[in-house]
Amino acid sequence: MDAYTPQLPDEDNLYEHHAFTVDKGQTPLRIDKYLMNFVENATRNKIQAAAKNGSIFVNDVPVKSNYKVKPFDAIRVLFTHPPFENLLVGEDIDIDVVYEDDDLLVVNKQPGMVVHPGHGNYSGTLINALIHRFDNLPNNSSERPGLVHRIDKDTSGLLVVAKTEEAMAHLSLQFANKTSEREYVAIVWGNVKEDSGTVEGNIGRHPKNRLQNTVFFGDDEDKGKPAVTHYSVLERLGYVTLLSCKLETGRTHQIRVHMKHIGHTLFNDERYGGEKVLKGTTFTKYKQFVDNCFKVLPRQALHAKTLGFVHPRTGEFMRFDSEIPEDMQQCIEKWKVYSKHQEL
């Protein structure tokens, strides 16, 4: 399924919030059920209410919630107000700035902070904090002020933000040309067999659940974009492994998708099934131990630890490193103690 999000109102003064073209292989399915897999934070009641209000269109005709989607249907969800992510408001939110000059700043994002406003998250984001702090940040190609790249809400770690048009263009090119340096630390389920390796697999939207991405290969390879992740084992902790992951490309959820693809889903990654006990024993005490780890680290175990790039004005290569956050460190320590006990 292809998706786009135009921001201009149509002739009836309605604004497009979502637009999808249905895949050719789609079997008939009620549109309310269909949209629940493709609109983040949507409930069936909300979708049914939108249909009742005449806000859901298929091939430019308003439909009811029981309409069954067919291959190649053009679905549009419209409302009388612009998308909230277009109504950016500055907010006085503390952010951890580890470096700043006239051209850029590097932020160590805390887990739980959304990078940019989107469906269900219209305030409290990094962009809200940035536009409160700075005037006239340059927009990227998605009209998002200052953002050169992004990391997921529940991923912690380093981001570079451009303060000028020149910095935005220069830094964006580095990320596109794969000359930036990005290293993540992750806890994954299972004992990773090789000490190091590379995952190559085109990544695109999951055909049945738009909130997930997946790896496409073989005849379906062209449904995704090329993605390469290099990994190496930092420590083996019994039923989980601590990894260093270096990105050659920067696809959405790349590490999360690639690790699941090779059978090592990120620890406590709810969206990709890592919140279940995927490896280990059947003993109740073990399950209690894992549940305690989930409580200590209530998010996917992923931290953007190192970020390197060439400064857009000085030409100097700059590298920044960050500490593994406390919640993730506590989880690692618990597994260290557990794995030593198991060896005894």
Side-chain angles (χ1 to χ4, degrees):
M1 164 182 286
D2 297 321
Y4 60 97
T5 52
Q7 310 299 346
L8 297 175
D10 69 2
E11 64 273 14
D12 296 320
N13 204 33
L14 293 174
Y15 293 79
E16 250 176 28
H17 283 235
H18 309 277
F20 308 113
T21 301
V22 178
D23 282 338
K24 63 181 179 181
Q26 177 65 48
T27 55
L29 182 67
R30 281 177 60 116
I31 196 165
D32 51 359
K33 290 184 178 180
Y34 179 86
L35 287 175
M36 282 178 67
N37 284 332
F38 289 85
V39 178
E40 196 160 7
N41 298 313
T43 64
R44 194 168 179 181
N45 284 341
K46 285 183 181 178
I47 292 168
Q48 288 176 338
K52 189 175 181 180
N53 293 335
S55 296
I56 298 177
F57 292 74
V58 176
N59 304 322
D60 294 323
V61 177
V63 297
K64 295 180 179 179
S65 57
N66 64 355
Y67 173 85
K68 291 192 175 179
V69 300
K70 301 183 295 295
F72 306 112
D73 273 350
I75 300 173
R76 304 165 71 208
V77 183
L78 303 125
F79 297 106
T80 55
H81 58 84
F84 285 103
E85 56 265 40
N86 288 5
L87 307 176
L88 296 176
V89 177
E91 297 178 46
D92 188 4
I93 302 167
D94 283 337
I95 53 176
D96 181 8
V97 176
V98 299
Y99 174 84
E100 182 179 357
D101 61 25
D102 291 340
D103 303 288
L104 56 88
L105 67 151
V106 176
V107 175
N108 187 14
K109 187 187 82 68
Q110 300 306 303
M113 174 179 264
V114 176
V115 171
H116 58 77
H119 312 298
N121 299 289
Y122 305 123
S123 64
T125 74
L126 178 60
I127 282 189
N128 293 116
L130 291 172
I131 62 175
H132 172 81
R133 184 167 178 154
F134 304 105
D135 293 325
N136 303 317
L137 286 173
N139 282 336
N140 66 12
S141 59
S142 300
E143 302 297 316
R144 287 166 178 157
L147 285 194
V148 178
H149 61 126
R150 60 179 289 276
I151 55 180
D152 298 327
K153 172 186 176 182
D154 289 325
T155 299
S156 53
L158 298 174
L159 283 165
V160 62
V161 175
K163 294 171 69 174
T164 68
E165 295 284 356
E166 294 78 9
M168 175 65 78
H170 196 288
L171 290 166
S172 296
L173 196 60
Q174 290 184 56
F175 278 77
N177 289 340
K178 308 173 187 175
T179 57
S180 61
E181 180 183 320
R182 285 170 290 171
E183 180 194 10
Y184 289 69
V185 174
I187 307 170
V188 300
W189 278 108
N191 185 10
V192 178
K193 185 177 180 181
E194 304 294 336
D195 287 339
S196 62
T198 296
V199 187
E200 295 187 59
N202 288 16
I203 289 177
R205 292 288 189 182
H206 195 292
K208 294 185 178 178
N209 185 345
R210 195 163 188 80
L211 304 184
Q212 289 186 4
N213 282 352
T214 191
V215 172
F216 290 98
F217 46 88
D219 293 340
D220 291 331
E221 193 174 65
D222 60 352
K223 292 182 180 179
K225 294 180 179 179
V228 181
T229 304
H230 306 284
Y231 67 86
S232 58
V233 172
L234 296 175
E235 194 165 359
R236 300 181 186 279
L237 301 169
Y239 299 123
V240 301
T241 305
L242 185 64
L243 292 182
S244 163
C245 296
K246 292 186 177 180
L247 295 183
E248 192 173 308
T249 54
R251 307 303 175 201
T252 300
H253 299 175
Q254 178 170 319
I255 293 173
R256 301 165 69 182
V257 173
H258 270 173
M259 290 302 107
K260 178 170 183 173
H261 179 64
I262 64 170
H264 295 289
T265 304
L266 261 63
F267 187 77
N268 209 12
D269 187 350
E270 185 175 0
R271 183 163 293 191
Y272 289 92
E275 86 288 6
K276 301 179 181 69
V277 179
L278 297 182
K279 298 289 181 181
T281 73
T282 57
F283 298 132
T284 303
K285 282 189 176 181
Y286 172 71
K287 186 179 184 305
Q288 289 174 344
F289 164 75
V290 173
D291 285 342
N292 286 335
C293 289
F294 287 158
K295 288 175 184 175
V296 166
L297 182 66
R299 63 182 181 99
Q300 70 258 12
L302 188 61
H303 175 67
K305 190 175 189 302
T306 304
L307 177 65
F309 53 85
V310 173
H311 193 283
R313 185 166 46 82
T314 68
E316 174 192 0
F317 187 82
M318 308 182 77
R319 181 182 287 107
F320 300 89
D321 192 68
S322 60
E323 296 290 328
I324 296 174
E326 183 65 23
D327 59 354
M328 197 166 165
Q329 192 60 54
Q330 284 186 30
C331 185
I332 293 168
E333 292 302 321
K334 279 183 172 293
W335 277 105
K336 282 183 179 179
V337 171
Y338 183 86
S339 60
K340 284 179 182 175
H341 176 72
Q342 290 303 104
E343 287 173 3
L344 295 175

